[in-house]
Structure formats: structure tokens, C-alpha cells
Amino acid sequence: ESRSAMAVSAVHLESDAFLVCMNHALSTEKEEVMGLCIGEVSWLSRASLQTQSWPHSTFIHVVGLVWTRQVDTNRIVHIHSVIILRRSDKRKDRVEISPEQLHRLAEMTGRPMRVVGWYHSHPHITVWPSHVDVRTQAMYQMMDQGFVGLIFSCFIEDKNTKTGRVLYTCFQSVQAQKGSEYERIEIPIHVVPHEAIGKVCLESAVELPRILCQEEQDTYRRIHSLTHLDPITKIHNGSVFTKNLCSQMSAVSGPLLQWLEDRLEQNKQSISELQKEKERLLQELAAL
Amino acid sequence: MTDLHTTVRISGIVLGSLMFQHFNSDSDVEGFILGESKAEERSNITDSQMNQVQYEHTVHIQKHISCQKLSSFYNGVGEVKWAEIKHILAGDKKENVLGWYRQRRNTEQRMTFREQVVHRNLQRALSNHELVFLLLTPAKASSIGSTHRLEYSVFRSHGSQYHNIPMVVSNLGMLEQQDYRRSSTSCSSSSYNRAIKKHRSKFFTSDGSLKEVGEVSAMNDTLQAELKMACANVEKSERTLELLSADVAALRKDIAVKRSNQTKTDLHSVSEMPQENMLLCAALRALFPESPLLRTQTLTQQGTPLPEYSCNVDHNIDVPTALPLVLAHQHAREQRWGLGEKGRNWGKRRCTEASHTTQRKRRDILETDSEEAITVSGSETDEELLDSQNINLKQSNSPVF
């Protein structure tokens, strides 16, 4: 078997972290977006029932059964939150982390939380990782064998049935033999319930419009610094900046702000109902 | 010639939020979708057509309201409950309701019969025949669960038929982003340059930066600040909700534990000390003084009264005062049947006969409901009763499996 004993057996992605990833992936159909997954690893130990012999094991004969006492350790990767990244020149193997994001990352990580994987989107493309993706994943695995990759495929539409589709997958890379091409291996992923949205997830969600604005401002600043441009071209470029910022505000910031306000309203209602329920239960408990 | 084209638009955060709601639930989920519906008429004049009119109908889904539980706003036959809908919508206006949604795992992208019935009834209740139904169907796309798929579609009725309308996720990439010009061609015309110079100050500040860029950046900064504040408010409410939910769950558990302990105690006390109906005991003692077996509360599984559990306690109840009708009835019966000394003798004589034909009489008693039968059975002695029970036990009429 080519897989190492330190294989990842499953990924548990908390639903609020999923919300942030999905929102990020759905923010643009024109290019791939990416980010890092923050979480922790737990170890699943089990005694394996094997018929092969291993050099460091002890054989115990039990009524015709031969079993080894070797213990396999398998990782379960828990993803609690994600951090949105800007990409340098839109290359997946080069990640640009702004000072603010680096500061956030430092706040989010610290035992036991650390970076456990990466995610990116495939707009209008199949969910399977490309050769570049598999090689990039293999490179990350050189730093950390348990590093996992997530891909979100969106903006897929079946023209016949007019049904839209979103897919997500989890993978790692493996080399069949030394020197051969890397291949993907599939890792089971489960989105686990997390009814309340965590603080880190909420903050990551509102990072998106801030990052988009920063990217646009950086692009514009580079253009505007070109001194040889005539006034009309400069006014044109200013209008492009205005247009782009306006589309960010209407497509991303506006809906996000509306969603936050609706969520607050919904929470207030739930709190009010639960308060009444709590009082009723306290009375019932006192009566018993 | 008219052409009707309908598109449904949803923002990424709303679609993500719908998926988030379903992940947090074991079962199907449903609710309402709200937003704006706009129609635009566009006339096209081409070389071949003079009056080509296009109707562009756009439905913007801006928010969703989830139902706490399934089938809350409709009953088993699909009839809608208007009061419940109003309660679910709370502050939102009925006019903003675009439709309703349902999320169900591992099912087809097709409306069920019940969904169609509910949809038709909702259309009538909300007076909106353009009402839409959003169906989301997540499923595993690989056997080991490494890949998952979510399919979504919007349905609208046309008479008795239901048609799909495409749903588009509004995003940044729908608008052109990179339109910046990095070079410019110079114009040597003096009039051109004069015209530009005249209006230049309206666009540029003294340091050469564009006024509009400054204004829109400032507006965006304000929006970011609003987002930050809204985020902080939501975060606070999430933590309050988490704590409250935990409190309620703990209270429910405590109540359940206390209730089950109480039930155990009640059962326990009942099995140890059965409560006695003292009035009944006193009445039986007065009416059937020779039959202590009637005052037992404990029977075997076959229905045999156990003499060791007969109550022999005198409860000091004055029966004529407490239960006047009991003895009055007995007195009337004695007068009618001429019982008394003679009655007793008759009873004893009857007993002698009864001991031989007890089995038959017991069957008779079961078949008839006459007072006579009751009187006859009442005059049996307890020993005879026990004996007859034993006979019955040996020749049981109850079914044997």
C-alpha cells in the first residue's frame, strides 16, 4: 500500500465555515478564488485486523484467527473557520497575505488551531482538481502530510433541465512510485452542524468586501501613478474604478449587509421565544 | 410578437445561507423566499420585425425565512393555514413574498404531488399567481462521501403544468472588471485641449487625484464600517442565542429526569401499598359478612382472590349513615324475596345444590345478567367459591397457545 500510515481518514467541515467558503466561491464567476482552512486534527486509533505480517508486531492466535496488534493512526481534520486570501497574479501556488490578514491569521491560530488545508473555487469548471491543483496540493503536503484540499465548483447549469448545480470535493495527492506523476486521492468530507455562527466565521465573511476593495484600490493606484496619461484617460480610469467599486457594493457588500440585518432580526425573534420557553420551563421545574 | 423571458436571481450569501440552514437540520427544511419582482418591456425594431416586444421579468430573491418545523403552514391535505403564514412572516409584508422553498436530500428535482397542491393553495392565499417554488436537492456524488452535489431549480405553474425557470447567482463576474487603460493616444488639437482644460478643475483636485474616486472610496469606507457594526451585533446575538439554547436544553433534561423519577416513585408506592377504598370495604362487609374474599384487592393471574390479602380491618364506618342506599336496597330485596331466617336456610339449601352444580351455574351467571343469578352467586360460601375456582383452574376455558 502506497499511502502512509499518517493518512487523513476524513474531514469535518463546520457548517458556518462552509457558509464563508461558499459565499466566497459564489462571489465571482470570472476567476478562481482561494483561501486557507483553519482548524485542528484529532487522531483515530484502531487495531487493524490484517493477515499480513509486519516486522514490529506480535502474532496472537485466537481460535484459527491471526491478528496483529499493530495500531493504525488516522487523522480526522476538523475545519472550524477559513481565511480569505488575495492571490498574487492569480496563481494558486503563490499566495499573497496582506498584513491585516496575517494579523488575523495570528489571532485565529494558536494551539490547537492551525492551518490545516486550503480551498479554491472552480467557476464553470468540473469539481475535480487539475494537474496544477494536484501538484500544488502535493507541495503543501511536503510541509504537512495531513494538509487537505477543498474545491467548490459553481455556476454550473444544465441547459436542458435549467437546473443549477454546486459541487464540493476534498482531496489529497499521492505519488504511485517515486518520480511518477502525482494523482489525487479522495477524502471523505462531512459538513457538521453548527447552528450558531462563530465569531471568526462572521469576521471572515465581512473580510471579503474589504479585500475586494483593497485589490481594486491597489490596481487603480498603480494605473493612476502612470504620469504620461492624458486627462481624458485619467477620467476614464477613475470611472472604471467607480464602476467596479459600485458593482462590489451592490453585488457583495449590499447583500451581505442585508443578510446580517435579517440574521439579527431572526436571532432577536428566536431569543424572545426562547426566553419565554425558559421562563415556562423554570415554572414547570419549580412545580415538580 | 411578444417574448416573455423570466429569470430568477439570488445572491451568493442567500444561497449559502439556505445550504447552511439545511446542514444544521437532520430532516427536510422549508420556508419562504422574499424579494422583488420587476418586469421590463423592451421594444426591438429590426429589419425583419417592426413590433418585436420583449418582456423581461426578473425575480430577485433577497432573503429567506425558515420554518421552525415541517408542515407548519399547511395540513395533511395541503390546505394552507393563513394564521401560521402570518406568524412566520412576522414583520415582512405579504407583497414581498416571492414564493416558498423546500430542501430535501437524495431526491429528484421534481415537485411532488403534495408540493403542487400546497403551491396552488399558497397562490390563492397570497393572491399571487406568479408565485415560485425553489427546490434544493443535495446528495452524495461519490460513494465514500468525498464529493457532494447540490442541485437547485425554480418552478412556476402554467395552468396545471409546472415549468423550470433558470436561477442565476448574482456575482461580481457578471460585469466587466478590467477596463483600465494603461496608455493613451495624445491629441495635438489646441481646441480639444482648450475644452478639456476649461472643465478640468471639476474632475481633479489640486493634488491631481480624481474627485469622484475620493467620493466613491469614502462611500465604500462608510459601507465597510456599517458591515463591521452589523457583524458585531450579529455576533453578540449568536452568543446570546447559544447560551439560551443551552439553558433551555438543560432545563428540559432536568424536567424529564425529575418526571421519570417521580413516575418511578409513584409506581413503587402503588405496588407496595395499594390504596384501599374503605367505603367499598365497609359496604361489602355489611352486605356480604360471610364473604371476606370479596374484600381482597389482590388476585392471582388466573383471577383467584387471595384470602391472605383480604381486609379484616374495621374501618369504623357507619354504613347506614355513609351509604344509606346500600342497606335500603338490601332491605327491599329481603322483603321481595322473603329472605331472612328463611332466606338464609334457602340459601344454605341452595348452597348444597350449588356445590354440585357450581360449574354450570358460574357459566349461567356469565351468560345471564339477572338479579336472581347475582343473588344465587352471592350466597355461595367462600370455601365453595375457592373450590369452584380450583375446578375452573383445572378445566380452564381460556385459550391455550
Side-chain angles (χ1 to χ4, degrees), chain A residues 75-112:
Chain A
R75 297 164 178 244
I76 297 202
V77 177
H78 300 267
I79 301 172
H80 294 285
S81 61
V82 298
I83 190 156
I84 287 168
L85 294 173
R86 287 171 60 173
R87 276 189 332 215
S88 174
D89 299 322
K90 314 300 177 194
R91 280 177 65 173
K92 268 166 281 185
D93 54 350
R94 281 204 195 143
V95 152
E96 192 181 286
I97 307 182
S98 67
E100 293 91 346
Q101 287 296 75
L102 206 57
H103 178 71
R104 276 205 77 225
L105 193 61
E107 277 182 344
M108 283 156 80
T109 54
R111 265 152 112 243

mmCIF file of all heavy atoms in Angstrom, chain A residues 75-112:
data_model
loop_
_atom_site.group_PDB
_atom_site.id
_atom_site.type_symbol
_atom_site.label_atom_id
_atom_site.label_comp_id
_atom_site.label_asym_id
_atom_site.label_seq_id
_atom_site.Cartn_x
_atom_site.Cartn_y
_atom_site.Cartn_z
ATOM 1 N N ARG A 75 -5.911 10.400 10.865
ATOM 2 C CA ARG A 75 -6.287 11.754 11.264
ATOM 3 C C ARG A 75 -7.717 12.059 10.855
ATOM 4 O O ARG A 75 -8.162 11.656 9.795
ATOM 5 C CB ARG A 75 -5.448 12.770 10.491
ATOM 6 C CG ARG A 75 -3.999 12.738 10.721
ATOM 7 C CD ARG A 75 -3.306 13.532 9.602
ATOM 8 N NE ARG A 75 -1.894 13.571 9.821
ATOM 9 C CZ ARG A 75 -1.198 14.670 10.056
ATOM 10 N NH1 ARG A 75 -1.796 15.831 10.076
ATOM 11 N NH2 ARG A 75 0.094 14.617 10.267
ATOM 12 N N ILE A 76 -8.385 12.874 11.687
ATOM 13 C CA ILE A 76 -9.633 13.499 11.264
ATOM 14 C C ILE A 76 -9.347 14.981 11.337
ATOM 15 O O ILE A 76 -8.958 15.498 12.382
ATOM 16 C CB ILE A 76 -10.825 13.095 12.148
ATOM 17 C CG1 ILE A 76 -11.065 11.604 12.029
ATOM 18 C CG2 ILE A 76 -12.072 13.898 11.761
ATOM 19 C CD1 ILE A 76 -12.433 11.123 12.383
ATOM 20 N N VAL A 77 -9.491 15.638 10.223
ATOM 21 C CA VAL A 77 -9.214 17.072 10.169
ATOM 22 C C VAL A 77 -10.517 17.833 10.417
ATOM 23 O O VAL A 77 -11.490 17.645 9.700
ATOM 24 C CB VAL A 77 -8.614 17.455 8.794
ATOM 25 C CG1 VAL A 77 -8.399 18.944 8.700
ATOM 26 C CG2 VAL A 77 -7.311 16.699 8.547
ATOM 27 N N HIS A 78 -10.522 18.672 11.465
ATOM 28 C CA HIS A 78 -11.703 19.484 11.781
ATOM 29 C C HIS A 78 -11.446 20.899 11.314
ATOM 30 O O HIS A 78 -10.491 21.521 11.760
ATOM 31 C CB HIS A 78 -11.942 19.516 13.297
ATOM 32 C CG HIS A 78 -12.179 18.176 13.891
ATOM 33 N ND1 HIS A 78 -13.434 17.648 14.074
ATOM 34 C CD2 HIS A 78 -11.302 17.246 14.343
ATOM 35 C CE1 HIS A 78 -13.319 16.453 14.611
ATOM 36 N NE2 HIS A 78 -12.053 16.176 14.785
ATOM 37 N N ILE A 79 -12.309 21.398 10.429
ATOM 38 C CA ILE A 79 -12.149 22.781 9.958
ATOM 39 C C ILE A 79 -13.188 23.639 10.653
ATOM 40 O O ILE A 79 -14.391 23.439 10.492
ATOM 41 C CB ILE A 79 -12.288 22.868 8.422
ATOM 42 C CG1 ILE A 79 -11.234 21.979 7.740
ATOM 43 C CG2 ILE A 79 -12.145 24.324 7.950
ATOM 44 C CD1 ILE A 79 -11.410 21.845 6.238
ATOM 45 N N HIS A 80 -12.701 24.593 11.463
ATOM 46 C CA HIS A 80 -13.594 25.456 12.230
ATOM 47 C C HIS A 80 -13.846 26.795 11.549
ATOM 48 O O HIS A 80 -14.869 27.419 11.776
ATOM 49 C CB HIS A 80 -13.013 25.717 13.623
ATOM 50 C CG HIS A 80 -12.958 24.484 14.460
ATOM 51 N ND1 HIS A 80 -14.085 23.930 15.035
ATOM 52 C CD2 HIS A 80 -11.929 23.689 14.818
ATOM 53 C CE1 HIS A 80 -13.733 22.847 15.700
ATOM 54 N NE2 HIS A 80 -12.438 22.679 15.592
ATOM 55 N N SER A 81 -12.878 27.262 10.764
ATOM 56 C CA SER A 81 -13.054 28.549 10.079
ATOM 57 C C SER A 81 -12.134 28.622 8.867
ATOM 58 O O SER A 81 -11.307 27.732 8.664
ATOM 59 C CB SER A 81 -12.752 29.692 11.037
ATOM 60 O OG SER A 81 -11.422 29.599 11.474
ATOM 61 N N VAL A 82 -12.318 29.660 8.075
ATOM 62 C CA VAL A 82 -11.476 29.853 6.898
ATOM 63 C C VAL A 82 -11.009 31.292 6.844
ATOM 64 O O VAL A 82 -11.608 32.175 7.471
ATOM 65 C CB VAL A 82 -12.219 29.509 5.574
ATOM 66 C CG1 VAL A 82 -12.627 28.053 5.546
ATOM 67 C CG2 VAL A 82 -13.419 30.405 5.362
ATOM 68 N N ILE A 83 -9.924 31.521 6.125
ATOM 69 C CA ILE A 83 -9.436 32.874 5.929
ATOM 70 C C ILE A 83 -9.329 33.113 4.428
ATOM 71 O O ILE A 83 -8.776 32.302 3.681
ATOM 72 C CB ILE A 83 -8.111 33.083 6.708
ATOM 73 C CG1 ILE A 83 -7.735 34.555 6.715
ATOM 74 C CG2 ILE A 83 -6.971 32.250 6.171
ATOM 75 C CD1 ILE A 83 -6.825 34.920 7.878
ATOM 76 N N ILE A 84 -9.930 34.225 4.000
ATOM 77 C CA ILE A 84 -9.976 34.557 2.576
ATOM 78 C C ILE A 84 -8.635 35.168 2.180
ATOM 79 O O ILE A 84 -8.063 35.967 2.923
ATOM 80 C CB ILE A 84 -11.136 35.552 2.341
ATOM 81 C CG1 ILE A 84 -12.464 34.798 2.462
ATOM 82 C CG2 ILE A 84 -11.031 36.236 0.991
ATOM 83 C CD1 ILE A 84 -13.669 35.691 2.548
ATOM 84 N N LEU A 85 -8.131 34.791 1.013
ATOM 85 C CA LEU A 85 -6.838 35.315 0.570
ATOM 86 C C LEU A 85 -6.929 36.044 -0.747
ATOM 87 O O LEU A 85 -7.792 35.771 -1.565
ATOM 88 C CB LEU A 85 -5.848 34.160 0.399
ATOM 89 C CG LEU A 85 -5.448 33.412 1.664
ATOM 90 C CD1 LEU A 85 -4.619 32.210 1.296
ATOM 91 C CD2 LEU A 85 -4.677 34.324 2.600
ATOM 92 N N ARG A 86 -5.961 36.915 -0.927
ATOM 93 C CA ARG A 86 -5.806 37.546 -2.229
ATOM 94 C C ARG A 86 -4.739 36.745 -2.931
ATOM 95 O O ARG A 86 -3.807 36.261 -2.289
ATOM 96 C CB ARG A 86 -5.296 38.978 -2.045
ATOM 97 C CG ARG A 86 -6.311 39.919 -1.514
ATOM 98 C CD ARG A 86 -5.669 41.215 -1.172
ATOM 99 N NE ARG A 86 -5.053 41.832 -2.356
ATOM 100 C CZ ARG A 86 -4.538 43.048 -2.353
ATOM 101 N NH1 ARG A 86 -4.542 43.760 -1.254
ATOM 102 N NH2 ARG A 86 -3.994 43.549 -3.438
ATOM 103 N N ARG A 87 -4.841 36.628 -4.225
ATOM 104 C CA ARG A 87 -3.818 35.863 -4.910
ATOM 105 C C ARG A 87 -2.902 36.763 -5.690
ATOM 106 O O ARG A 87 -3.345 37.653 -6.388
ATOM 107 C CB ARG A 87 -4.446 34.842 -5.848
ATOM 108 C CG ARG A 87 -4.830 33.582 -5.122
ATOM 109 C CD ARG A 87 -5.227 32.553 -6.059
ATOM 110 N NE ARG A 87 -5.760 33.256 -7.224
ATOM 111 C CZ ARG A 87 -6.743 32.814 -7.932
ATOM 112 N NH1 ARG A 87 -7.315 31.693 -7.621
ATOM 113 N NH2 ARG A 87 -7.166 33.473 -8.978
ATOM 114 N N SER A 88 -1.613 36.513 -5.555
ATOM 115 C CA SER A 88 -0.636 37.291 -6.294
ATOM 116 C C SER A 88 -0.672 36.813 -7.734
ATOM 117 O O SER A 88 -0.435 35.640 -7.999
ATOM 118 C CB SER A 88 0.736 37.048 -5.678
ATOM 119 O OG SER A 88 1.709 37.662 -6.444
ATOM 120 N N ASP A 89 -0.992 37.711 -8.650
ATOM 121 C CA ASP A 89 -1.067 37.367 -10.070
ATOM 122 C C ASP A 89 -1.999 36.193 -10.335
ATOM 123 O O ASP A 89 -1.830 35.481 -11.327
ATOM 124 C CB ASP A 89 0.325 37.042 -10.646
ATOM 125 C CG ASP A 89 1.250 38.228 -10.539
ATOM 126 O OD1 ASP A 89 0.775 39.359 -10.740
ATOM 127 O OD2 ASP A 89 2.424 38.020 -10.221
ATOM 128 N N LYS A 90 -2.932 35.984 -9.470
ATOM 129 C CA LYS A 90 -3.948 34.922 -9.612
ATOM 130 C C LYS A 90 -3.325 33.545 -9.818
ATOM 131 O O LYS A 90 -3.862 32.695 -10.489
ATOM 132 C CB LYS A 90 -4.915 35.239 -10.782
ATOM 133 C CG LYS A 90 -5.440 36.655 -10.817
ATOM 134 C CD LYS A 90 -6.224 37.028 -9.569
ATOM 135 C CE LYS A 90 -6.670 38.479 -9.617
ATOM 136 N NZ LYS A 90 -7.141 38.968 -8.334
ATOM 137 N N ARG A 91 -2.173 33.286 -9.180
ATOM 138 C CA ARG A 91 -1.563 31.953 -9.265
ATOM 139 C C ARG A 91 -1.839 31.209 -7.978
ATOM 140 O O ARG A 91 -1.643 31.735 -6.895
ATOM 141 C CB ARG A 91 -0.051 32.089 -9.464
ATOM 142 C CG ARG A 91 0.337 32.386 -10.888
ATOM 143 C CD ARG A 91 1.815 32.573 -11.005
ATOM 144 N NE ARG A 91 2.535 31.326 -10.684
ATOM 145 C CZ ARG A 91 3.850 31.193 -10.854
ATOM 146 N NH1 ARG A 91 4.562 32.199 -11.305
ATOM 147 N NH2 ARG A 91 4.453 30.066 -10.547
ATOM 148 N N LYS A 92 -2.253 29.959 -8.109
ATOM 149 C CA LYS A 92 -2.663 29.187 -6.932
ATOM 150 C C LYS A 92 -1.502 28.794 -6.050
ATOM 151 O O LYS A 92 -1.651 28.534 -4.882
ATOM 152 C CB LYS A 92 -3.436 27.933 -7.350
ATOM 153 C CG LYS A 92 -4.931 28.169 -7.394
ATOM 154 C CD LYS A 92 -5.648 27.068 -8.103
ATOM 155 C CE LYS A 92 -5.555 27.205 -9.590
ATOM 156 N NZ LYS A 92 -6.373 26.171 -10.257
ATOM 157 N N ASP A 93 -0.312 28.696 -6.649
ATOM 158 C CA ASP A 93 0.806 28.277 -5.810
ATOM 159 C C ASP A 93 1.487 29.479 -5.166
ATOM 160 O O ASP A 93 2.447 29.328 -4.429
ATOM 161 C CB ASP A 93 1.801 27.440 -6.624
ATOM 162 C CG ASP A 93 2.264 28.172 -7.879
ATOM 163 O OD1 ASP A 93 1.690 29.227 -8.208
ATOM 164 O OD2 ASP A 93 3.197 27.687 -8.532
ATOM 165 N N ARG A 94 1.009 30.649 -5.474
ATOM 166 C CA ARG A 94 1.566 31.847 -4.813
ATOM 167 C C ARG A 94 0.437 32.582 -4.132
ATOM 168 O O ARG A 94 -0.492 33.045 -4.762
ATOM 169 C CB ARG A 94 2.210 32.772 -5.840
ATOM 170 C CG ARG A 94 3.540 32.231 -6.178
ATOM 171 C CD ARG A 94 4.514 33.206 -6.683
ATOM 172 N NE ARG A 94 5.589 32.406 -7.291
ATOM 173 C CZ ARG A 94 6.237 32.738 -8.363
ATOM 174 N NH1 ARG A 94 5.945 33.856 -8.973
ATOM 175 N NH2 ARG A 94 7.172 31.957 -8.840
ATOM 176 N N VAL A 95 0.604 32.653 -2.838
ATOM 177 C CA VAL A 95 -0.456 33.266 -2.058
ATOM 178 C C VAL A 95 0.046 34.572 -1.457
ATOM 179 O O VAL A 95 1.164 34.636 -0.966
ATOM 180 C CB VAL A 95 -0.900 32.268 -0.959
ATOM 181 C CG1 VAL A 95 -1.440 32.964 0.256
ATOM 182 C CG2 VAL A 95 -1.929 31.305 -1.506
ATOM 183 N N GLU A 96 -0.770 35.581 -1.562
ATOM 184 C CA GLU A 96 -0.376 36.868 -1.003
ATOM 185 C C GLU A 96 -1.215 37.098 0.240
ATOM 186 O O GLU A 96 -2.445 37.120 0.164
ATOM 187 C CB GLU A 96 -0.670 37.956 -2.041
ATOM 188 C CG GLU A 96 -0.062 39.278 -1.732
ATOM 189 C CD GLU A 96 -0.433 40.283 -2.799
ATOM 190 O OE1 GLU A 96 0.119 40.206 -3.905
ATOM 191 O OE2 GLU A 96 -1.309 41.122 -2.526
ATOM 192 N N ILE A 97 -0.561 37.254 1.349
ATOM 193 C CA ILE A 97 -1.303 37.516 2.581
ATOM 194 C C ILE A 97 -0.973 38.933 3.016
ATOM 195 O O ILE A 97 0.177 39.248 3.307
ATOM 196 C CB ILE A 97 -0.933 36.506 3.700
ATOM 197 C CG1 ILE A 97 -1.087 35.076 3.205
ATOM 198 C CG2 ILE A 97 -1.801 36.751 4.927
ATOM 199 C CD1 ILE A 97 -0.788 34.022 4.233
ATOM 200 N N SER A 98 -1.994 39.767 3.047
ATOM 201 C CA SER A 98 -1.793 41.166 3.431
ATOM 202 C C SER A 98 -1.455 41.229 4.924
ATOM 203 O O SER A 98 -1.759 40.279 5.659
ATOM 204 C CB SER A 98 -3.058 41.971 3.142
ATOM 205 O OG SER A 98 -4.095 41.536 4.002
ATOM 206 N N PRO A 99 -0.870 42.328 5.373
ATOM 207 C CA PRO A 99 -0.526 42.434 6.805
ATOM 208 C C PRO A 99 -1.741 42.250 7.714
ATOM 209 O O PRO A 99 -1.641 41.609 8.757
ATOM 210 C CB PRO A 99 0.032 43.861 6.936
ATOM 211 C CG PRO A 99 0.477 44.221 5.579
ATOM 212 C CD PRO A 99 -0.404 43.499 4.618
ATOM 213 N N GLU A 100 -2.894 42.790 7.254
ATOM 214 C CA GLU A 100 -4.101 42.648 8.079
ATOM 215 C C GLU A 100 -4.524 41.190 8.191
ATOM 216 O O GLU A 100 -4.907 40.721 9.262
ATOM 217 C CB GLU A 100 -5.278 43.458 7.487
ATOM 218 C CG GLU A 100 -5.070 44.952 7.529
ATOM 219 C CD GLU A 100 -4.426 45.483 6.278
ATOM 220 O OE1 GLU A 100 -3.893 44.682 5.468
ATOM 221 O OE2 GLU A 100 -4.443 46.708 6.090
ATOM 222 N N GLN A 101 -4.465 40.470 7.038
ATOM 223 C CA GLN A 101 -4.858 39.060 7.047
ATOM 224 C C GLN A 101 -3.869 38.234 7.867
ATOM 225 O O GLN A 101 -4.262 37.284 8.537
ATOM 226 C CB GLN A 101 -4.948 38.500 5.615
ATOM 227 C CG GLN A 101 -6.155 39.005 4.829
ATOM 228 C CD GLN A 101 -7.485 38.579 5.428
ATOM 229 O OE1 GLN A 101 -7.920 39.127 6.441
ATOM 230 N NE2 GLN A 101 -8.132 37.617 4.838
ATOM 231 N N LEU A 102 -2.609 38.617 7.805
ATOM 232 C CA LEU A 102 -1.578 37.904 8.563
ATOM 233 C C LEU A 102 -1.840 38.072 10.058
ATOM 234 O O LEU A 102 -1.720 37.131 10.840
ATOM 235 C CB LEU A 102 -0.207 38.472 8.192
ATOM 236 C CG LEU A 102 0.992 37.525 8.359
ATOM 237 C CD1 LEU A 102 0.801 36.258 7.557
ATOM 238 C CD2 LEU A 102 2.260 38.227 7.900
ATOM 239 N N HIS A 103 -2.237 39.299 10.414
ATOM 240 C CA HIS A 103 -2.554 39.598 11.806
ATOM 241 C C HIS A 103 -3.754 38.766 12.259
ATOM 242 O O HIS A 103 -3.780 38.191 13.348
ATOM 243 C CB HIS A 103 -2.841 41.106 11.937
ATOM 244 C CG HIS A 103 -3.232 41.512 13.311
ATOM 245 N ND1 HIS A 103 -2.344 41.535 14.360
ATOM 246 C CD2 HIS A 103 -4.427 41.884 13.819
ATOM 247 C CE1 HIS A 103 -2.989 41.923 15.453
ATOM 248 N NE2 HIS A 103 -4.252 42.140 15.165
ATOM 249 N N ARG A 104 -4.744 38.684 11.372
ATOM 250 C CA ARG A 104 -5.956 37.882 11.675
ATOM 251 C C ARG A 104 -5.585 36.421 11.826
ATOM 252 O O ARG A 104 -6.067 35.738 12.715
ATOM 253 C CB ARG A 104 -6.988 38.030 10.546
ATOM 254 C CG ARG A 104 -7.857 39.245 10.679
ATOM 255 C CD ARG A 104 -9.176 39.052 9.975
ATOM 256 N NE ARG A 104 -10.072 38.218 10.733
ATOM 257 C CZ ARG A 104 -10.805 37.215 10.231
ATOM 258 N NH1 ARG A 104 -10.732 36.916 8.960
ATOM 259 N NH2 ARG A 104 -11.595 36.515 11.004
ATOM 260 N N LEU A 105 -4.716 35.953 10.938
ATOM 261 C CA LEU A 105 -4.302 34.554 10.976
ATOM 262 C C LEU A 105 -3.609 34.248 12.300
ATOM 263 O O LEU A 105 -3.846 33.199 12.908
ATOM 264 C CB LEU A 105 -3.356 34.270 9.797
ATOM 265 C CG LEU A 105 -3.061 32.793 9.480
ATOM 266 C CD1 LEU A 105 -4.330 32.053 9.122
ATOM 267 C CD2 LEU A 105 -2.072 32.690 8.338
ATOM 268 N N ALA A 106 -2.776 35.180 12.747
ATOM 269 C CA ALA A 106 -2.074 35.007 14.020
ATOM 270 C C ALA A 106 -3.075 34.934 15.171
ATOM 271 O O ALA A 106 -2.918 34.145 16.092
ATOM 272 C CB ALA A 106 -1.099 36.150 14.237
ATOM 273 N N GLU A 107 -4.140 35.753 15.080
ATOM 274 C CA GLU A 107 -5.172 35.746 16.128
ATOM 275 C C GLU A 107 -5.972 34.453 16.108
ATOM 276 O O GLU A 107 -6.367 33.932 17.148
ATOM 277 C CB GLU A 107 -6.157 36.912 15.906
ATOM 278 C CG GLU A 107 -5.678 38.217 16.453
ATOM 279 C CD GLU A 107 -6.688 39.339 16.250
ATOM 280 O OE1 GLU A 107 -7.619 39.189 15.421
ATOM 281 O OE2 GLU A 107 -6.532 40.360 16.904
ATOM 282 N N MET A 108 -6.239 33.945 14.897
ATOM 283 C CA MET A 108 -7.093 32.760 14.757
ATOM 284 C C MET A 108 -6.346 31.480 15.116
ATOM 285 O O MET A 108 -6.953 30.496 15.517
ATOM 286 C CB MET A 108 -7.584 32.634 13.307
ATOM 287 C CG MET A 108 -8.696 33.584 12.954
ATOM 288 S SD MET A 108 -8.763 33.893 11.183
ATOM 289 C CE MET A 108 -9.615 32.435 10.617
ATOM 290 N N THR A 109 -5.018 31.484 14.888
ATOM 291 C CA THR A 109 -4.258 30.261 15.151
ATOM 292 C C THR A 109 -3.570 30.344 16.500
ATOM 293 O O THR A 109 -3.477 31.405 17.097
ATOM 294 C CB THR A 109 -3.216 30.022 14.040
ATOM 295 O OG1 THR A 109 -2.419 31.193 13.916
ATOM 296 C CG2 THR A 109 -3.886 29.746 12.709
ATOM 297 N N GLY A 110 -3.064 29.242 16.929
ATOM 298 C CA GLY A 110 -2.521 29.174 18.287
ATOM 299 C C GLY A 110 -3.173 27.967 18.891
ATOM 300 O O GLY A 110 -4.370 27.804 18.762
ATOM 301 N N ARG A 111 -2.412 27.131 19.548
ATOM 302 C CA ARG A 111 -2.897 25.814 19.959
ATOM 303 C C ARG A 111 -4.341 25.783 20.394
ATOM 304 O O ARG A 111 -4.732 26.544 21.254
ATOM 305 C CB ARG A 111 -1.992 25.270 21.067
ATOM 306 C CG ARG A 111 -0.929 24.376 20.439
ATOM 307 C CD ARG A 111 0.313 24.366 21.288
ATOM 308 N NE ARG A 111 0.477 23.049 21.885
ATOM 309 C CZ ARG A 111 0.443 22.804 23.181
ATOM 310 N NH1 ARG A 111 0.273 23.784 24.024
ATOM 311 N NH2 ARG A 111 0.596 21.595 23.635
ATOM 312 N N PRO A 112 -5.178 24.854 19.912
ATOM 313 C CA PRO A 112 -4.761 23.853 18.930
ATOM 314 C C PRO A 112 -4.992 24.268 17.471
ATOM 315 O O PRO A 112 -4.755 23.484 16.575
ATOM 316 C CB PRO A 112 -5.674 22.670 19.276
ATOM 317 C CG PRO A 112 -6.936 23.317 19.725
ATOM 318 C CD PRO A 112 -6.558 24.637 20.357
#
